[in-house]
Amino acid sequence: MALPVSMEALLQSDLLEDVAYRDDGLCVVGIFGKSNMKPGLLKESLINTLADKHIFSLFDGAEDGGTADSHIQAFYNQENRVLYLLLSSFCDSRQLLRACQSLTCSTGHSDAHEFWKGLDRKHCLHLLYMFSVCHVLLLVHPNQTFDVTYDRLFRALDALRQKVLPLIRAAIKECPVSKEWKVNCRPCPPRLLFVFQMNGTLKVSANGPESGGNPDKPKKHSPRRRLQHALEDQIYRIFRKSRVLTNQSSNCLFTVPANQAFVYVIPAADEDPVGTLLGQLRSNCILGDQDSTPVVSGPRRYQQMRRSARQSSCSGDSLSMPMSGQLVDCSLKEFLWQHVELVLTKKGFDDSVGRNPQPSHFELPTYSKWIQVASRLYQVLICNTDEELADLSTKVQSQLKVLEGFLDADTKFSENRCQKALPLAHSAYQSNLPHNYTTTVHKNQLAQALRVYSQHARGVAFQRYAMQLHEDCYKFWSNGHQLCEERSLTDQHCVHKFHLLPQPGEKPDMDCNPPILNHNSRGRSTSSCNCGRKQAPREDPFDIQAANYDFYQMIEEKCCAKLERIEFPVFQPSTPDPAPACNQAPRLPSEASGSADAEKLKEPSTAQSHTPGDTSLSLALSLGQSTDSLGPYGDGEGAETQVQQKRPSLVDRQPSTVEYLPGMMHSGCPKGLLPKFSSWSLVKLGPAKLYNCHTGLEQPGFLPGSSFLLPWDLVIRSRSEDNTGLTEPLNGGTSSWPAPNKTVGKRGSTGGLGRSRRRDDMTRVFVGFEYEDSRGRRFISSGPDKIVKVMGPGGAKDPATRVLNTDMPLYIPSPSQGRGLKPHFAQLTRLFIVVPDAPLEITLNPQIQPGPPPCPIFHPEKTDIMLPPDGLWVLRFPYSYATDRGPCYPPKENQPLNNYKVLRGILRATSANSAPQ
């Protein structure tokens, strides 16, 4: 083999050995270590020196494949029966540069750390392989200082070897080697030698006197040899302290000789390269002249070469033996060959020490036997390509976790640091926490815990333990500390921990996990019934039905169940399981006008084709459940006009009976849908005379002097004296007015006054906007910022035109504030209307905007309600407002109240002969 090959190529090739060497033993020498950034590669140059051939190119790295992974190259010197294995890894400058080039700027810190850990694991597996197949190992280091990180590396390799020893035994049990090899999984405990390269700053003469010493007392050893002895003592002491070396060599990862040198220091290069070359040429010429003996091979050739070298050093080269009597320093080849000679002569290594040293096993295999063992070990430890050994290789990979504690010091430090920071972060999370709390509190406390954690945690384990902190805090929160996230319609949280709502007919159960409970915010308020004559406490509602319907239905049974009322239309199902309408596109208020829809219905194509994409139509309309029909009309223009007049608008169509409106009725609702219940109430307390303007409303909860309705004077008929006889009587009877200039009484007198020729017939309507706060305090408002306050008889003096011609606020500050800092708001809850017994039409059309734009406009299920005459009517507004997207919460402390309002025009009065007022 003239050139080095990769380990895979060596194991797969069928090398034909010479017949003269086929039965001879084979010594395997492994070389590993580190290199610096100098141009010349140290490990490759050593093999060139040992083999006396230019085998490895020192400046071309194309033969290693150009990757950063560890790999082994082999060179077989068949004449000397030595196989050299050279391990290249990221410890070499060339491989390290390639590894750095493979990392990009986008590679994260954690990913980069995993990349280096992967290279480190591969390096350890290659080293374990070399410690399992080699007799002698050379550790090469680019300076003269021992790297103590090798101590941790060798302890990690020893622990890994003990873990995978049963797997290696199973792999080589069929190989033709001795029983001791199969049991110990190696031919012998390998001997580890150290080769250091002296730094240029410490360069001294090879055999010269020590500088600074006494020249009269020459030293026996040169400075380089004394450095070698010092390094040997230091290395042996370190390995013995860490128990890498023990008394019994068979149990150690490697051995060092007790009576032989195991450290060699390569002297620094001479600054005179020409003189160095001449000296080497002179020594080679002297060896060539004196070498007249026949050429032999093996150990005898080395002994003959060693004798000739000694003779030349004693006779020919007088400079190598100084006059001071120092011992001659041996060369690198002599340093290594004294150990190789023990292998080739089958003497083996006897490196056990102590009182009862146990002899270690030793075997010198032939090349063919060694190839069989090395090939199976290579498949198990490094290259997993053999299906037969795939299971063993997988098990070996699973044992690599034992390396992390020894090699990954950064991760170990980071984990210890992060583990110490976790309790501090947990304490920061749990500080000042209530027993149950919401998601917002959880996120705030978690952010505080992460800040504390980031102040103390460091290293590559930061992200992993930060995720653990997230999980720990979430488990703590969800394990009995999670507050129910549901908010009431008044924007208050449920006070219960996380729970489930009871199904219809199911009773609450606290013992379940999670418990089955109804929502409760512990908020209680006092509200009046539909008519306002009875008050009762109520729980803080969590759904719109409980707020606007259930409470009033419950209290109505005790008060106003028998009162006359105007019913609002609600959903009437035609199927046993109706469904709420979904995916309804909101419509603008301008699109809700009936005239525009009527114009669309005039087109035959629109009337006959209802596409599925038209979300403004209900399911009932799309199924053809409309009650209008064309009927048997004749042809012609007149018939077509009559048909168009008969066709109702979309507002007048029959609502859907298979799907209902999930929220309340508002301006953005699709047409043709009704809610399952009405959030409004319109009841009649009695006739108009039931209200006494001198005493006001006699109902509980009103503040003193604030229960008086506001008068609204309306002109019901206007006429002059010239046409008095042509008009109808006010009361609608058949009697006519008296003749001119006749007195009919005080109220009917028309002559003699001379003040005006017109006589207006007036009537009085009473209106009152009632506000109620959470404590049941009620009052009537005479303006957006004014409360009715009547101290004496006579009733309210302020006219109702102010409250009717302006936008009234939906919420105003309560006049009776509590002791707390939080202000109390009173909400518009009722509208009292006293309709007199007169030819007057009062139309009710309430429109509420319970929030800032784009909040929709809420209105009852029936608009433009005509109030019958002679009655005291009470319109009860909804307690809460909600759409299918969620509730409209009451205003906060810092929110302007003018965004929550009742639009003007809630009442409209019309007489027989006058315009609307």
Side-chain angles (χ1 to χ4, degrees), residues 104 200 305 408 452 484 518 525 570 724 764 773 775 824 897:
T104 59
M305 177 185 63
D408 200 359
V452 174
C484 179
N518 291 310
S525 60
V570 294
T724 53
R764 175 165 287 185
D773 63 9
R775 294 173 292 178
H824 292 272
L897 298 180

Side-chain angles (χ1 to χ4, degrees), residues 437-488:
Y437 47 96
T438 62
T439 304
T440 304
V441 178
H442 164 69
K443 290 181 178 179
N444 292 336
Q445 293 296 109
L446 181 59
Q448 177 65 24
L450 287 174
R451 281 194 293 268
V452 174
Y453 172 77
S454 61
Q455 292 174 357
H456 298 85
R458 294 292 184 273
V460 295
F462 181 92
Q463 190 67 25
R464 179 159 54 91
Y465 281 90
M467 296 300 297
Q468 182 178 339
L469 178 61
H470 273 270
E471 296 176 0
D472 294 344
C473 294
Y474 179 78
K475 288 179 181 178
F476 178 83
W477 176 49
S478 59
N479 189 16
H481 296 278
Q482 185 176 0
L483 189 67
C484 179
E485 294 295 319
E486 192 69 22
R487 302 171 75 91
S488 69

Side-chain angles (χ1 to χ4, degrees), residues 324-617:
S324 58
Q326 290 183 352
L327 296 179
V328 179
D329 293 332
C330 62
S331 63
L332 176 63
K333 191 170 185 179
E334 293 176 344
F335 166 76
L336 175 62
W337 218 265
Q338 60 181 331
H339 304 281
V340 174
E341 186 178 13
L342 296 176
V343 177
L344 295 177
T345 56
K346 298 183 181 182
K347 292 182 179 180
F349 305 133
D350 188 11
D351 295 332
S352 297
V353 294
R355 296 181 179 179
N356 299 309
Q358 298 294 328
S360 58
H361 70 284
F362 175 81
E363 183 172 351
L364 182 65
T366 61
Y367 178 81
S368 59
K369 291 182 179 181
W370 183 88
I371 283 291
Q372 295 183 39
V373 178
S375 178
R376 297 185 70 86
L377 288 182
Y378 195 83
Q379 292 294 330
V380 172
L381 295 178
I382 299 176
C383 182
N384 184 12
T385 58
D386 193 347
E387 296 181 358
E388 181 183 355
L389 302 175
D391 188 26
L392 293 177
S393 179
T394 304
K395 293 179 180 179
V396 168
Q397 295 294 329
S398 64
Q399 298 294 335
L400 292 180
K401 59 184 179 180
V402 300
L403 297 175
E404 297 180 359
F406 290 95
L407 300 181
D408 200 359
D410 295 340
T411 301
K412 192 172 182 180
F413 167 78
S414 180
E415 288 182 351
N416 292 336
R417 191 66 184 170
C418 295
Q419 287 174 0
K420 291 181 180 179
L422 275 183
L424 301 176
H426 289 158
S427 300
Y429 175 81
Q430 299 177 13
S431 63
N432 301 324
L433 269 182
H435 188 269
N436 298 103
Y437 47 96
T438 62
T439 304
T440 304
V441 178
H442 164 69
K443 290 181 178 179
N444 292 336
Q445 293 296 109
L446 181 59
Q448 177 65 24
L450 287 174
R451 281 194 293 268
V452 174
Y453 172 77
S454 61
Q455 292 174 357
H456 298 85
R458 294 292 184 273
V460 295
F462 181 92
Q463 190 67 25
R464 179 159 54 91
Y465 281 90
M467 296 300 297
Q468 182 178 339
L469 178 61
H470 273 270
E471 296 176 0
D472 294 344
C473 294
Y474 179 78
K475 288 179 181 178
F476 178 83
W477 176 49
S478 59
N479 189 16
H481 296 278
Q482 185 176 0
L483 189 67
C484 179
E485 294 295 319
E486 192 69 22
R487 302 171 75 91
S488 69
L489 298 180
T490 59
D491 203 15
Q492 299 185 53
H493 280 287
C494 177
V495 296
H496 293 309
K497 63 180 181 180
F498 179 77
H499 63 95
L500 300 177
L501 290 176
Q503 299 297 326
E506 186 180 7
K507 295 182 179 180
D509 189 1
M510 287 289 296
D511 297 331
C512 291
N513 188 19
I516 301 176
L517 295 171
N518 291 310
H519 294 300
N520 186 8
S521 66
R522 292 180 184 168
R524 294 175 64 90
S525 60
T526 302
S527 295
S528 304
C529 63
N530 287 328
C531 64
R533 295 183 299 182
K534 189 175 182 60
Q535 288 186 319
R538 68 182 301 170
E539 299 289 339
D540 192 16
F542 280 82
D543 62 272
I544 201 68
Q545 182 173 351
N548 296 338
Y549 184 77
D550 292 344
F551 170 77
Y552 298 104
Q553 285 294 108
M554 177 187 63
I555 198 174
E556 187 182 63
E557 299 175 357
K558 305 176 183 179
C559 179
C560 44
K562 298 181 180 180
L563 293 179
E564 182 183 348
R565 68 188 62 230
I566 295 178
E567 298 287 349
F568 294 102
V570 294
F571 171 73
Q572 300 296 332
S574 61
T575 57
D577 51 351
C582 59
N583 297 329
Q584 299 290 345
R587 296 172 61 87
L588 297 176
S590 61
E591 299 177 0
S593 61
S595 60
D597 296 326
E599 291 294 328
K600 294 179 182 178
L601 287 176
K602 289 182 181 179
E603 302 177 5
S605 60
T606 308
Q608 297 177 3
S609 62
H610 295 157
T611 59
D614 189 3
T615 57
S616 63
L617 301 177

Side-chain angles (χ1 to χ4, degrees), residues 216-234:
D216 297 335
K217 296 181 179 180
K219 300 294 183 180
K220 182 179 180 181
H221 301 289
S222 66
R224 185 161 63 93
R225 177 168 292 193
R226 291 200 298 273
L227 176 61
Q228 293 174 171
H229 293 169
L231 287 173
E232 288 179 355
D233 296 339
Q234 181 187 22

Side-chain angles (χ1 to χ4, degrees), residues 598-849:
E599 291 294 328
K600 294 179 182 178
L601 287 176
K602 289 182 181 179
E603 302 177 5
S605 60
T606 308
Q608 297 177 3
S609 62
H610 295 157
T611 59
D614 189 3
T615 57
S616 63
L617 301 177
S618 68
L619 181 60
L621 295 180
S622 64
L623 294 177
Q625 296 181 5
S626 177
T627 57
D628 64 312
S629 60
L630 294 177
Y633 293 102
D635 299 334
E637 184 179 358
E640 183 180 357
T641 306
Q642 187 179 6
V643 170
Q644 293 179 358
Q645 292 176 356
K646 293 286 185 180
R647 291 180 62 85
S649 65
L650 284 178
V651 180
D652 300 328
R653 286 176 176 243
Q654 180 182 358
S656 172
T657 58
V658 295
E659 58 181 2
Y660 59 88
L661 186 67
M664 295 173 59
M665 187 71 72
H666 56 84
S667 59
C669 290
K671 294 181 177 61
L673 295 178
L674 290 175
K676 299 178 68 174
F677 59 91
S678 178
S679 300
W680 305 74
S681 173
L682 183 57
V683 298
K684 181 181 179 181
L685 284 175
K689 64 180 181 180
L690 186 63
Y691 174 73
N692 188 349
C693 63
H694 298 286
T695 59
L697 295 173
E698 296 179 354
Q699 291 186 358
F702 277 97
L703 297 177
S706 63
S707 62
F708 293 88
L709 305 182
L710 304 179
W712 185 23
D713 293 331
L714 299 173
V715 178
I716 60 172
R717 186 171 297 179
S718 298
R719 57 186 175 179
S720 62
E721 293 180 355
D722 298 334
N723 58 359
T724 53
L726 302 177
T727 57
E728 298 179 355
L730 287 173
N731 56 4
T734 57
S735 62
S736 61
W737 285 93
N741 299 325
K742 280 192 176 182
T743 303
V744 295
K746 293 181 179 180
R747 296 183 64 87
S749 177
T750 58
L753 297 177
R755 294 182 180 179
S756 174
R757 297 188 62 191
R758 292 180 60 90
R759 193 182 72 178
D760 297 338
D761 292 336
M762 307 292 294
T763 188
R764 175 165 287 185
V765 178
F766 290 94
V767 179
F769 286 86
E770 180 212 326
Y771 290 84
E772 184 178 16
D773 63 9
S774 60
R775 294 173 292 178
R777 312 289 179 88
R778 305 165 64 187
F779 56 88
I780 303 296
S781 175
S782 60
D785 54 355
K786 189 176 181 182
I787 300 174
V788 172
K789 203 71 172 177
V790 178
M791 303 305 296
K797 305 301 181 182
D798 296 330
T801 54
R802 184 185 179 190
V803 296
L804 294 176
N805 295 330
T806 185
D807 294 339
M808 289 295 289
L810 186 60
Y811 299 94
I812 61 175
S814 177
S816 57
Q817 295 289 336
R819 297 180 179 179
L821 298 177
K822 185 177 181 180
H824 292 272
F825 293 107
Q827 179 182 351
L828 178 62
T829 53
R830 286 169 198 84
L831 175 64
F832 290 90
I833 311 159
V834 178
V835 183
D837 186 9
L840 188 68
E841 295 179 354
I842 302 294
T843 304
L844 179 63
N845 186 22
Q847 292 184 343
I848 314 294
Q849 181 180 337

